[in-house]
Amino acid sequence: MGKKAAMQKSKQWNVKGAMHLAGVFHFLQSCGSGCLVPFLTIYFRHLGLTATMTGLIMASKHLLTLVWRPVSSVLARQYDKRRTVIVGSLLSSALVVLILLLFPSAGTKAESGRCNASQPSADFTDGSDFTILESMNIPSQSSATVYSVNHTTVIMEQPDELNSTYKPTLVNSSSSWLRRAIRYLRNLKEQQEESLHTEFLGSLKAMDAQHQKFFLVLIVIGLWEFMAAPLEWTADDGLYEYLDFVDATDHHKGVTVWKPLGTAVGNGVVGILVTSLYCRTGTVAEFYSYTALMILTVPAAALLPLYFRKRERPTSGGFKALQLVHRNSQALLCAITVVLTGMASSAVSDFLLWQMQDHNATEIHMGISLALAHLSQAGVPLYAGRLARFLKYHGWLLVLAVITLSIQCLYYSFLWDPWSIIPAQILAGFSTGALWWSVAAQCEDIATPGTEETLIRLFEGLPLELGAGLGSLLAGFVVQKFGIKILFQSISVILAVWSIALAALKWKIPRQRRINYSRLLTADTGEISESESDQEKDWLETAMEDAKQKNNWTIAKS
């Protein structure tokens, strides 16, 4: 009986199987997000929205995530509805996003040469009051002269005695006829303006239609983000608590590698798919790929190992994490850096594909370049520890990340063809990847038992999303007024200045570390990674070694 119970228990807490299932879940979910999220701003451009409108939409998306994601995660934990929230988020977000396909495209200039489509006729009605007069002879009506004014045709009858001498040119027409024609056309124009004024509510002008589309897209994106935002944190929190219950939280980091890998696959596959089918389906493949992958993720979500607690009062882990960051100068510098890099990264992700499209890039160029960036980030754990040891302190890796991001932004402003972006994308591991590796190391330095994951959540939530929202908002206005090139160059200068200030402050401010006693007492020598074993020794271990040496010296002396 005891053996049977033991077998059931070991089967119930199968950590290895749980990690495999969690890896499949995060891979599919990230793959679906990679199919759509990076290409949203290109789709907004396809709809005819301006850079300012695009920036406002993306800023609203980030700010909604900032507020709703932590709140929904806490509520799902409090009421033991994590699995319901995860499955509901997958299905609802997969369906809501398809509403965006109902909006008509605007046929932007950047897309006018694809599929050998005939070029649209030039539009000469640019809103000016300039009047173009043309005259022609109508064979069936030899006594009529046709005047065309701004594409409005008016037929003026002539006396019979002029029929024999009339020539179909405006020069041979009498001045009196010309004055009468102009007077008649002027009256006609005034009548049209009055008609437009009275029917303003019935027939909106082009700009009003554009703003109407903007507000509708904004509502749909807000609803979609409301459905999708709870997904990632709710799943991660449930898995972490499951691993914490069986004392296997050290395995949690193994799941994170599947996120950039899934995103890279989604970027590359949808880029190839959309480019191949563009002349038949346009960009709808991005949306349907996202929907299909979200639905495919549902079985993995239904089997995802989650730890369910009894209902209890919410913990104050978030406030403790805020206090830990506030009391540590190095952590504050890290938070400020995340805000600035969040602003920069958001601006780049919003308008980098616009810059590529302006240089004749198609979705296959965009998808492959984005995939390379995520693959570069996935490889960061392979060398980040050695690089941090070479720099003597993981804080210098943060400075290196800011410098690299500054170089990337400067490079983006000078793109010359679709494939010229590749070198900058390979550097993503040394910018975004190294940044978050340094942030995680800083969280370990200041964490108390049980607050490590909360600190990471704090940096991912408050400074990152706040910076991303501000970055999207400001980037839209800058692009609208000055252009994408000026945007990237401005970001590069700001990051370069901050990297110098950050290096100076890190040099002056002493490093403070808090002892993680739980890791000290539970870690086995064989499980400690090479990067951790070579780090600076804990002061408690040093004190114990000094005491042991003192005791040995006292014994030898006696």
Side-chain angles (χ1 to χ4, degrees), residues 31 163 218 249 302 335 392 412:
C31 189
N163 287 347
L218 181 63
T249 54
K392 305 300 182 183
Y412 291 149

Side-chain angles (χ1 to χ4, degrees), residues 332-409:
L332 283 175
L333 284 178
C334 195
I336 296 172
T337 303
V338 171
V339 171
L340 291 176
T341 54
M343 294 176 65
S345 299
S346 177
V348 169
S349 63
D350 289 348
F351 294 104
L352 177 59
L353 299 189
W354 285 35
Q355 174 81 331
M356 294 183 66
Q357 192 178 57
D358 291 342
H359 290 83
N360 302 319
T362 59
E363 284 77 10
I364 190 171
H365 302 102
M366 301 173 188
I368 292 176
S369 64
L370 292 172
L372 286 176
H374 288 290
L375 290 175
S376 178
Q377 295 176 32
V380 169
L382 301 176
Y383 59 82
R386 296 184 180 88
L387 185 58
R389 289 196 304 274
F390 175 77
L391 297 174
K392 305 300 182 183
Y393 171 40
H394 62 74
W396 298 118
L397 196 60
L398 188 68
V399 179
L400 177 63
V402 177
I403 294 174
T404 307
L405 186 57
S406 174
I407 295 173
Q408 281 183 289
C409 293

Side-chain angles (χ1 to χ4, degrees), residues 23 27 101 174 192 234 309 356 399 433 440 444 475 495 553:
F27 180 83
L101 295 177
S174 63
Q192 290 177 345
T234 304
R309 297 177 180 268
M356 294 183 66
V399 179
E444 290 182 0
L495 290 177
W553 180 80

Side-chain angles (χ1 to χ4, degrees), residues 85-101:
V85 170
I86 293 170
V87 174
S89 177
L90 287 170
L91 294 176
S92 58
S93 63
L95 297 177
V96 169
V97 77
L98 296 179
I99 300 176
L100 290 173
L101 295 177

Side-chain angles (χ1 to χ4, degrees), residues 24-83:
V24 172
F25 170 83
H26 285 290
F27 180 83
L28 290 175
Q29 186 267 330
S30 300
C31 189
S33 298
C35 288
L36 178 62
V37 176
F39 301 95
L40 276 177
T41 56
I42 283 289
Y43 186 73
F44 296 155
R45 195 184 203 188
H46 176 72
L47 294 179
L49 301 184
T50 64
T52 303
M53 295 176 178
T54 300
L56 285 170
I57 293 173
M58 298 307 293
S60 302
K61 177 179 179 294
H62 289 300
L63 295 178
L64 179 60
T65 303
L66 170 65
V67 176
W68 175 236
R69 187 166 61 178
V71 171
S72 61
S73 178
V74 171
L75 292 176
R77 179 183 186 275
Q78 178 68 15
Y79 293 99
D80 283 343
K81 298 295 183 182
R82 278 178 171 154
R83 197 176 305 279

Side-chain angles (χ1 to χ4, degrees), residues 502-520:
L502 181 63
L505 291 171
K506 280 192 169 292
W507 183 269
K508 273 188 94 172
I509 298 175
R511 180 186 179 190
Q512 301 172 2
R513 295 187 62 189
R514 184 179 293 273
I515 307 307
N516 193 334
Y517 293 101
S518 60
R519 188 172 62 176
L520 178 64

Side-chain angles (χ1 to χ4, degrees), residues 152-419:
T152 300
T153 303
V154 180
I155 301 177
M156 302 295 294
E157 296 292 338
Q158 295 190 15
D160 293 337
E161 61 269 22
L162 297 177
N163 287 347
S164 59
T165 59
Y166 171 72
K167 301 295 181 182
T169 60
L170 185 64
V171 176
N172 295 334
S173 300
S174 63
S175 59
S176 61
W177 283 106
L178 180 59
R179 285 194 298 270
R180 290 174 59 185
I182 293 175
R183 190 182 306 114
Y184 177 84
L185 294 172
R186 188 176 298 166
N187 294 334
L188 179 63
K189 184 179 179 181
E190 291 176 358
Q191 293 175 2
Q192 290 177 345
E193 289 178 352
E194 291 178 0
S195 176
L196 287 174
H197 180 72
T198 55
E199 299 177 1
F200 177 76
L201 296 178
S203 57
L204 296 176
K205 295 182 179 180
M207 185 61 68
D208 296 324
Q210 186 185 43
H211 280 82
Q212 185 179 22
K213 184 186 294 185
F214 160 69
F215 285 115
L216 291 174
V217 171
L218 181 63
I219 292 172
V220 174
I221 290 295
L223 180 61
W224 173 60
E225 188 63 23
F226 183 83
M227 301 297 181
L231 178 60
E232 187 173 352
W233 276 23
T234 304
D236 271 345
D237 290 346
L239 178 62
Y240 186 83
E241 290 186 5
Y242 172 90
L243 296 174
D244 185 45
F245 184 77
V246 296
D247 295 329
T249 54
D250 53 321
H251 291 79
H252 188 256
K253 291 182 179 179
V255 178
T256 57
V257 70
W258 293 105
K259 297 179 182 179
L261 289 178
T263 306
V265 171
N267 294 154
V269 170
V270 82
I272 297 172
L273 190 63
V274 171
T275 303
S276 302
L277 303 176
Y278 185 84
C279 296
R280 297 180 180 179
T281 62
T283 59
V284 299
E286 299 167 354
F287 293 86
Y288 289 127
S289 298
Y290 172 84
T291 299
L293 285 167
M294 290 297 105
I295 295 175
L296 285 176
T297 312
V298 171
L303 300 174
L304 191 67
L306 301 173
Y307 177 66
F308 295 96
R309 297 177 180 268
K310 294 181 179 180
R311 292 189 181 182
E312 55 187 23
R313 291 163 53 184
T315 61
S316 57
F319 295 104
K320 291 180 180 178
L322 278 173
Q323 291 176 352
L324 290 173
V325 174
H326 182 264
R327 294 170 183 172
N328 189 284
S329 301
Q330 295 284 354
L332 283 175
L333 284 178
C334 195
I336 296 172
T337 303
V338 171
V339 171
L340 291 176
T341 54
M343 294 176 65
S345 299
S346 177
V348 169
S349 63
D350 289 348
F351 294 104
L352 177 59
L353 299 189
W354 285 35
Q355 174 81 331
M356 294 183 66
Q357 192 178 57
D358 291 342
H359 290 83
N360 302 319
T362 59
E363 284 77 10
I364 190 171
H365 302 102
M366 301 173 188
I368 292 176
S369 64
L370 292 172
L372 286 176
H374 288 290
L375 290 175
S376 178
Q377 295 176 32
V380 169
L382 301 176
Y383 59 82
R386 296 184 180 88
L387 185 58
R389 289 196 304 274
F390 175 77
L391 297 174
K392 305 300 182 183
Y393 171 40
H394 62 74
W396 298 118
L397 196 60
L398 188 68
V399 179
L400 177 63
V402 177
I403 294 174
T404 307
L405 186 57
S406 174
I407 295 173
Q408 281 183 289
C409 293
L410 183 63
Y411 186 92
Y412 291 149
S413 67
F414 293 106
L415 296 182
W416 59 91
D417 63 48
W419 294 115

